[in-house]
Amino acid sequence: MSARARAGTRLPPEVNRILYVRNLPFKITSEEMYDIFGKYGAIRQVRMGCTPETRGTAFVIYEDIYDAKNACEHLSGFNVCNRYLIVLYYQKDKMTKKMESRRKAEELAKLKQALAERAS
């Protein structure tokens, strides 16, 4: 899409340059990620999950928001090593809420444990 055509296009509010990718094969490399996602535009960064909770996920950050939109539209459901990719726009509010609820649950579990120890 040309720059002139892009100027008149309004994007939905959830669209941004950062894509959150799930259901990746555990053995995929960042070079393969650059090959797959680089077809849709210049990539600034790829961050792969490396802990047991984040394996199979990645963040792909594009230079341009329209390239990210194009990649999200075309790669969602794309088959890589017999796994279908789930490509979503990164939503900071959802991620922080998830982290906050996880932290509160851990804190509550610690308080319950401390209360149980006091009672016995």
Side-chain angles (χ1 to χ4, degrees):
M1 187 182 288
S2 70
R4 182 171 281 173
R6 286 182 184 176
T9 305
R10 289 197 50 120
L11 295 173
E14 72 272 3
V15 176
N16 62 46
R17 296 181 315 121
I18 306 170
L19 299 179
Y20 175 59
V21 186
R22 294 182 12 211
N23 204 31
L24 286 166
F26 290 163
K27 303 231 186 258
I28 196 165
T29 64
S30 57
E31 289 80 21
E32 291 170 326
M33 291 288 290
Y34 275 99
D35 288 343
I36 293 168
F37 285 86
K39 294 176 184 175
Y40 297 96
I43 296 175
R44 178 172 290 195
Q45 186 178 41
V46 173
R47 303 283 296 208
M48 306 278 295
C50 55
T51 66
E53 296 86 26
T54 60
R55 285 184 70 194
T57 65
F59 290 98
V60 179
I61 305 166
Y62 279 91
E63 293 286 343
D64 185 40
I65 193 169
Y66 291 96
D67 295 337
K69 181 180 182 291
N70 194 19
C72 187
E73 290 173 354
H74 288 91
L75 292 176
S76 191
F78 187 72
N79 190 335
V80 177
C81 298
N82 294 325
R83 297 183 70 118
Y84 293 98
L85 298 183
I86 299 169
V87 182
L88 306 166
Y89 295 108
Y90 171 69
Q91 295 176 342
K92 183 179 179 182
D93 295 340
K94 280 190 176 181
M95 290 293 196
T96 53
K97 283 180 185 176
K98 189 182 291 185
M99 296 286 286
E100 185 72 20
S101 64
R102 187 176 296 146
R103 186 185 60 76
K104 285 182 180 180
E106 289 172 0
E107 188 176 306
L108 184 60
K110 286 179 185 177
L111 288 172
K112 284 182 181 180
Q113 184 181 6
L115 187 60
E117 288 174 0
R118 282 188 197 165
S120 56

